[in-house]
Amino acid sequence: MVFYFLPGCTYTKAGCPKSNGTTPVEPLYPNSTSGELFPWAQLRLPQSIHPIDYDITLNPNLDEMTFTGQSIITMSVHHNTRRLVLHGANFNITNATFKGPVNKVNVLEYKPWQQIAIKLPEELKAGQRCVLTLDYSASLSNTYDGFYNSSYTNKDGTKSVLAATQFEPLSARKAFPCFDEPAFKATFHMKISRKPEYMTLSNMPKAKSTHLSNGRVLDEFEKTSVNMSTYLVAFIVANFTPVSTNVSDTLVSVYSVPEKKEHTVYALEMASKLLEFYNNFFDIKYPLKKLDLIAIPDFLAGAMENWGLITFRETTLLVGQESSPLEKQVVASVIAHELAHQWFGNLVTMNWWNDLWLNEGFATYMQYTSLQGNLFLSVRFRVLDKDALNSSHAVSTQVETAEQVEEMFDAVSYEKGASILLMLNASMSGSNQFRKGIIQYLKQFRGRNTDTNDLWNSLTQNVSEMMNSWTSQKGFPLITVSIKEDQVTISQEHFLLSSDGNTRSSRWVTPNIGDRGSGGCGSSSDRELPGKVKWLKMNYRNTGFYIVHYGDVGWAALTEALSTNVSILTQEDRASLIHNMFALSRLGRVSFQQVLNLLSYVSQETETSPVMEALFQLNTIYRLLDKRQESGLTYILARFGSLMNNQTWEKDEQDGVSELELRASLLETACMLEQENCTQAASALFKQYVESNGTSRIPGDLQQVVFTVAAQSDEDWLTLLNMYHYATYDAEKKKLLLGLASTQDTRKIVWILQAGLRGEVVQTQELPLIIRVMCRGFAGHLFVWDFIQVNWERLIEKFPVGSFAIQSIIKSVTSQFSTQAHLDQVEAFFSGLKERGSQMRSVQEALETIRLNQRWMDVNLPTLQRWL
């Protein structure tokens, strides 16, 4: 029996009970808010009672920012019990009745775990049905979760208010009492009252509207035609405008604030195409009558897959007529992710948050592969970097507390999950085997909850052993290859950048060793080659989730081969060589001199993937050096100067997304390094734009670099701020804000940070992104670190401890520290936070990263000073 030591509660016995190892120990029940014993002592709810149906009525008051509600829950009893335990947070429960063996009941509350309970005088028997009715009142949340209030300013300066929801992972309990765990699926029947000038939306179509005697209107929605987890319930009270179309018997609509209606056309077109694509790809028709996509002005996540009512940030759904292909790709990509969830996550749902990757890994995989089979290389490189840390975690890992659940929403669940699915697909024989397997999984478990093994068992080939080695342990293998005559020796070990001394033997069953065939790899194996070879490149197109080390001789041969003929390898293979070489340098397996030798070929490189990876790695080092007041710019210019000079500043209709990404990245680097021809061209484009009153457009992919250069001048910074106030197009407004945040003027930096906390001029939801941009600069990174320490309490009021926003802030502010002094400061600050953040995995990651930066600098700074 596990003992949970409950925060902030009084125990019923002093000390700890002892057990002789055979007799189970009575759990220690905490005291409820009333002082009476709370009848449950675990974070997870008991399994004795399951909900069948919720009948929920909500009456939000957008003037007072409060709401009243009634939740009628029909339940079935699975095991005999005398207690009913469910979730509820911050409610004032005014009446509670129980239809079963008793009527009037007393509700107990245990606040630390957001649980409420009822002790029953008579035992409920398995097989019985019962109904709980709770009347309650609450305040609308002023953070970004639960049932929260929001507002936006119209073009005429007037303010409009709305109420929206965000329940994933643990916030449905803040809107209505419920069994708030993914496995407690039920049907939902929603009713919401409103003032006549508002409209309401929920997961299902509206069934009817009734005018009430108090002047309000009661909107009643159809009962959900599917069983749903609570985190997928959603509702909105606002004044929004839709554009709609019918797709395969489903009404697809995109909603926005009325003034942005013309920015919804592209989203409607993409949602319609993707809905048809997924209907065919999964061989299961989308099960609801409608699919709404709604752009919410104040929204923290990128988007949320609520069944039938998908919520988005405005920047991830709305694009104007003039928007660039890059901006359109962002919107298409987010819609593809959220629509994939309607099957992976909504139709089939993970049992518990430890297997979040079954939702997010699949949606991320489909997001990239549904749009022209994108291999999402750079995304996979970044998650390899994260997963090489000792502070990483297994894809499927045990979680209990709210903080641990929040922390599962990270790159390992999303991008590593997607990466191992890509690897599995590449390793399966037969072009459609993978697709057939996932269709079987969806059909077999439709409407149910699953764990990781259910997925592996659904796939037609025996993949359980192989894939469990990738989901049940953190990290990935380092494959070492050595060639002798016509023999190749392959060995593997855990690629771990820093060890805590508790190294355990990790082994991965590694597909795709060699070219396109599959095979396993133990600790070491020998294979025959068809003859003598000069060099060998493994992990074709980098579909495998591992790093390959070729030894000094192998790397020299590959370096020479690339110098002679760039196109001897695919661009994905060239990019992966660059990534692997830098990773091995951090591990200490190759010298930085060898890294520079490999990069000698890149002046001949023209493809996006290898150039972007080399720029990313060199910019990371440049920023580390810059924070130490060392310079590294001449090397970057020597390697990429000619490619930078070849970039144009005009809009080119012929350029695809890949070319535009490359141009933006090269010009941003050139201007960051203060190359005169770059900064002058950017300044000229900005001047032309301002003087033309917005009629002369800056190409969308170049807006960021132009606004960033403008922000370095006091006069132009104020012009940018004025433009930001009046900008209506969201993608441009965001770029203006990031331009403003790139200033090196410390007073302006502080002003933006404070404005972000207040949330009036700058939306609080943008703080993580603002901080990321500021920390790239020399002035910004120190001021932001100070700001975080001073304002930590206010930050965790806005963003939950462990949430992706907090993870992002911690990473941005600490990842460029490389001195003992900063390591000591970071350690001291976070260890002093106790339950307000000291245990977060992102804190361990930050400390480990600083130590690694320190180690790398100690080893390589002399070489860097000589070469760079």
Side-chain angles (χ1 to χ4, degrees):
M1 187 175 281
V2 177
F3 285 92
Y4 297 100
F5 292 91
L6 313 180
C9 73
T10 311
Y11 291 99
T12 57
K13 299 176 189 171
C16 293
K18 291 189 166 52
S19 165
N20 60 12
T22 54
T23 313
V25 179
E26 269 297 303
L28 296 179
Y29 293 123
N31 282 346
S32 65
T33 47
S34 67
E36 193 177 331
L37 269 189
F38 193 78
W40 188 242
Q42 292 184 40
L43 273 161
R44 299 281 298 274
L45 296 180
Q47 293 293 313
S48 45
I49 295 180
H50 283 233
I52 299 169
D53 177 67
Y54 293 85
D55 192 327
I56 296 164
T57 306
L58 295 168
N59 308 294
N61 181 332
L62 298 189
D63 300 322
E64 304 287 333
M65 295 304 171
T66 57
F67 67 100
T68 61
Q70 183 183 66
S71 188
I72 305 171
I73 312 172
T74 304
M75 298 160 287
S76 68
V77 182
H78 284 218
H79 309 290
N80 295 3
T81 184
R82 287 182 65 165
R83 65 186 160 207
L84 169 58
V85 185
L86 62 160
H87 289 109
N90 309 321
F91 297 138
N92 173 30
I93 294 174
T94 50
N95 190 39
T97 56
F98 187 80
K99 203 178 284 180
V102 290
N103 280 326
K104 191 80 176 163
V105 288
N106 180 33
V107 179
L108 302 172
E109 181 181 16
Y110 183 59
K111 282 190 171 176
W113 287 350
Q114 301 178 331
Q115 291 176 354
I116 56 176
I118 292 163
K119 293 180 188 174
L120 300 166
E122 294 175 37
E123 189 170 63
L124 296 175
K125 303 294 184 193
Q128 274 186 304
R129 285 204 171 188
C130 49
V131 179
L132 175 67
T133 302
L134 295 170
D135 296 309
Y136 60 97
S137 61
S139 295
L140 289 169
S141 163
N142 55 10
T143 58
Y144 294 103
D145 63 348
F147 191 17
Y148 71 92
N149 71 74
S150 174
S151 64
Y152 58 94
T153 306
N154 300 296
K155 276 181 187 167
D156 61 7
T158 57
K159 187 177 173 183
S160 292
V161 294
L162 65 120
T165 58
Q166 169 60 37
F167 292 160
E168 189 180 34
L170 307 171
S171 294
R173 64 192 68 174
K174 296 177 181 176
F176 54 93
C178 57
F179 294 77
D180 201 9
E181 293 181 7
F184 287 112
K185 289 191 170 188
T187 51
F188 293 84
H189 186 190
M190 300 296 307
K191 302 183 195 77
I192 303 171
S193 75
R194 58 177 169 89
K195 283 186 172 178
E197 62 265 30
Y198 288 103
M199 44 80 79
T200 62
L201 293 169
S202 188
N203 305 82
M204 295 295 287
K206 194 179 294 178
K208 64 177 182 180
S209 296
T210 308
H211 288 270
L212 304 175
S213 57
N214 60 4
R216 291 171 70 89
V217 178
L218 182 69
D219 292 332
E220 183 174 344
F221 296 88
E222 292 177 20
K223 184 174 172 175
T224 59
S225 53
V226 286
N227 277 339
M228 281 169 50
S229 300
T230 47
Y231 77 87
L232 292 169
V233 175
F235 33 89
I236 310 281
V237 183
N239 180 14
F240 283 8
T241 312
V243 294
S244 304
T245 188
N246 268 296
V247 179
S248 309
D249 303 322
T250 299
L251 180 66
V252 180
S253 306
V254 179
Y255 285 83
S256 69
V257 302
E259 290 171 353
K260 295 177 182 177
K261 185 177 178 178
E262 72 273 16
H263 294 166
T264 57
V265 177
Y266 179 73
L268 184 65
E269 180 191 321
M270 282 312 300
S272 303
K273 282 182 184 171
L274 282 160
L275 183 61
E276 284 199 278
F277 171 79
Y278 285 138
N279 275 339
N280 294 326
F281 186 87
F282 294 130
D283 195 30
I284 297 173
K285 195 168 171 293
Y286 172 77
L288 304 187
K289 292 181 194 172
K290 69 139 179 121
L291 176 65
D292 296 337
L293 297 83
I294 181 162
I296 298 181
D298 237 4
F299 192 74
L300 183 58
M304 176 61 209
E305 67 268 19
N306 317 299
W307 217 342
L309 180 59
I310 307 176
T311 44
F312 293 78
R313 273 190 185 206
E314 290 183 321
T315 46
T316 54
L317 191 66
L318 306 180
V319 284
Q321 300 301 315
E322 294 292 318
S323 59
S324 76
L326 274 177
E327 288 159 356
K328 286 181 173 173
Q329 189 199 36
V330 167
V331 168
S333 175
V334 177
I335 293 173
H337 182 103
E338 302 308 329
L339 256 64
H341 270 310
Q342 307 303 299
W343 287 262
F344 276 98
N346 299 12
L347 193 66
V348 179
T349 313
M350 77 264 142
N351 256 319
W352 178 242
W353 302 105
N354 63 309
D355 275 328
L356 175 66
W357 86 276
L358 287 172
N359 283 18
E360 297 301 349
F362 255 108
T364 305
Y365 174 78
M366 293 307 301
Q367 152 188 354
Y368 292 113
T369 55
S370 63
L371 301 165
Q372 296 101 37
N374 181 336
L375 281 177
F376 56 104
L377 253 188
S378 62
V379 165
R380 289 187 288 123
F381 289 150
R382 300 295 70 83
V383 73
L384 278 163
D385 298 343
K386 178 185 173 75
D387 207 27
L389 298 173
N390 202 25
S391 49
S392 187
H393 63 91
V395 169
S396 179
T397 195
Q398 194 175 345
V399 292
E400 288 288 341
T401 66
E403 185 182 301
Q404 289 168 345
V405 170
E406 290 281 0
E407 286 199 304
M408 287 302 285
F409 291 80
D410 70 352
V412 173
S413 295
Y414 285 66
E415 284 87 4
K416 184 178 179 181
S419 301
I420 63 174
L421 291 171
L422 179 78
M423 177 171 67
L424 174 61
N425 189 9
S427 75
M428 293 182 85
S429 57
S431 59
N432 252 348
Q433 287 299 102
F434 181 70
R435 182 182 165 213
K436 283 177 189 162
I438 60 176
I439 289 172
Q440 182 182 323
Y441 168 76
L442 288 169
K443 287 185 172 176
Q444 183 180 348
F445 294 104
R446 179 178 186 150
R448 290 159 60 193
N449 294 81
T450 59
D451 61 27
T452 295
N453 283 327
D454 292 323
L455 172 65
W456 303 146
N457 294 335
S458 293
L459 292 163
T460 48
Q461 299 177 4
N462 183 17
V463 297
S464 285
E465 186 197 350
M466 176 175 88
M467 294 314 293
N468 277 330
S469 73
W470 294 92
T471 55
S472 62
Q473 56 187 352
K474 69 182 176 188
F476 57 87
L478 168 61
I479 306 294
T480 301
V481 178
S482 59
I483 304 171
K484 199 170 185 182
E485 299 294 324
D486 60 352
Q487 285 274 321
V488 58
T489 302
I490 301 171
S491 62
Q492 70 155 271
E493 63 192 280
H494 190 169
F495 188 105
L496 196 59
L497 286 172
S498 51
S499 169
D500 55 9
N502 298 326
T503 49
R504 52 189 183 81
S505 177
S506 300
R507 282 282 166 266
W508 288 264
V509 183
T510 315
N512 296 343
I513 289 292
D515 189 9
R516 301 183 201 203
S518 63
C521 173
S523 55
S524 181
S525 63
D526 291 330
R527 303 203 186 160
E528 273 194 35
L529 294 167
K532 285 189 179 180
V533 295
K534 285 185 181 175
W535 55 267
L536 184 67
K537 163 70 177 72
M538 303 190 81
N539 198 5
Y540 176 67
R541 294 186 80 203
N542 202 61
T543 55
F545 194 76
Y546 49 84
I547 283 173
V548 185
H549 182 26
Y550 299 95
D552 292 350
V553 174
W555 278 113
L558 282 162
T559 299
E560 187 185 343
L562 278 179
S563 300
T564 311
N565 178 8
V566 174
S567 55
I568 204 161
L569 293 172
T570 67
Q571 66 159 311
E572 293 91 354
D573 285 306
R574 301 197 299 272
S576 79
L577 286 179
I578 292 168
H579 171 267
N580 286 195
M581 185 62 114
F582 274 97
L584 289 162
S585 163
R586 272 178 88 72
L587 189 62
R589 295 293 175 93
V590 298
S591 68
F592 199 66
Q593 181 63 61
Q594 287 171 282
V595 178
L596 297 171
N597 291 346
L598 177 68
L599 288 184
S600 61
Y601 100 89
V602 295
S603 47
Q604 307 164 54
E605 183 63 81
T606 54
E607 294 289 349
T608 301
S609 296
V611 173
M612 294 273 284
E613 184 55 24
L615 279 176
F616 173 84
Q617 297 288 355
L618 290 169
N619 280 336
T620 302
I621 291 170
Y622 169 76
R623 290 192 181 106
L624 273 177
L625 290 168
D626 186 44
K627 305 306 185 286
R628 289 265 198 116
Q629 294 172 294
E630 302 275 355
S631 172
L633 60 91
T634 50
Y635 178 83
I636 300 177
L637 294 174
R639 285 284 168 264
F640 296 101
S642 59
L643 201 52
M644 288 169 177
N645 294 334
N646 289 341
Q647 303 306 308
T648 64
W649 290 80
E650 292 86 41
K651 184 174 182 177
D652 187 344
E653 301 295 343
Q654 303 305 309
D655 281 346
V657 168
S658 182
E659 290 81 8
L660 294 175
E661 273 183 322
L662 180 60
R663 170 167 83 159
S665 191
L666 283 163
L667 292 177
E668 278 174 29
T669 303
C671 285
M672 176 189 79
L673 299 174
E674 296 177 356
Q675 284 306 285
E676 213 170 292
N677 56 351
C678 183
T679 53
Q680 282 175 353
S683 299
L685 209 52
F686 183 68
K687 187 167 186 269
Q688 188 184 333
Y689 177 64
V690 173
E691 287 174 354
S692 76
N693 235 348
T695 54
S696 158
R697 301 286 307 167
I698 301 168
D701 62 303
L702 297 180
Q703 284 178 349
Q704 195 61 74
V705 64
V706 169
F707 295 155
T708 300
V709 169
Q712 308 318 308
S713 132
D714 283 352
E715 185 185 339
D716 287 347
W717 191 89
L718 291 171
T719 306
L720 281 174
L721 183 59
N722 192 48
M723 288 163 66
Y724 176 75
H725 280 301
Y726 293 104
T728 53
Y729 176 42
D730 299 289
E732 187 171 338
K733 192 176 179 83
K734 182 175 170 183
K735 288 175 199 165
L736 286 162
L737 178 60
L738 298 184
L740 290 165
S742 71
T743 178
Q744 293 301 293
D745 181 316
T746 50
R747 290 192 181 279
K748 293 187 177 86
I749 287 169
V750 171
W751 182 86
I752 294 172
L753 289 169
Q754 295 293 354
L757 260 191
R758 284 192 298 273
E760 289 156 11
V761 179
V762 175
Q763 289 177 306
T764 303
Q765 68 186 30
E766 301 296 359
L767 260 181
L769 197 53
I770 290 168
I771 284 169
R772 194 169 85 200
V773 169
M774 284 181 171
C775 288
R776 290 175 186 164
F778 184 76
H781 90 292
L782 294 176
F783 269 85
V784 174
W785 171 228
D786 187 60
F787 170 82
I788 298 298
Q789 294 173 86
V790 172
N791 293 287
W792 182 256
E793 293 300 326
R794 289 179 69 188
L795 285 169
I796 61 173
E797 274 173 29
K798 303 283 185 187
F799 313 118
V801 172
S803 65
F804 189 76
I806 290 290
Q807 292 176 45
S808 169
I809 288 169
I810 292 171
K811 182 176 181 178
S812 296
V813 83
T814 59
S815 63
Q816 292 164 84
F817 289 157
S818 64
T819 64
Q820 189 62 42
H822 276 132
L823 177 63
D824 293 343
Q825 282 180 32
V826 173
E827 202 156 19
F829 172 68
F830 283 108
S831 64
L833 292 177
K834 304 291 188 288
E835 74 280 358
R836 299 183 337 278
S838 66
Q839 299 307 308
M840 285 187 292
R841 192 185 290 117
S842 43
V843 171
Q844 307 315 312
E845 188 180 315
L847 295 171
E848 187 178 354
T849 301
I850 299 169
R851 288 188 190 100
L852 287 165
N853 289 346
Q854 199 179 353
R855 181 180 86 186
W856 194 87
M857 280 293 207
D858 290 347
V859 171
N860 294 297
L861 194 55
T863 311
L864 288 165
Q865 285 166 329
R866 229 179 19 256
W867 272 85
L868 305 184

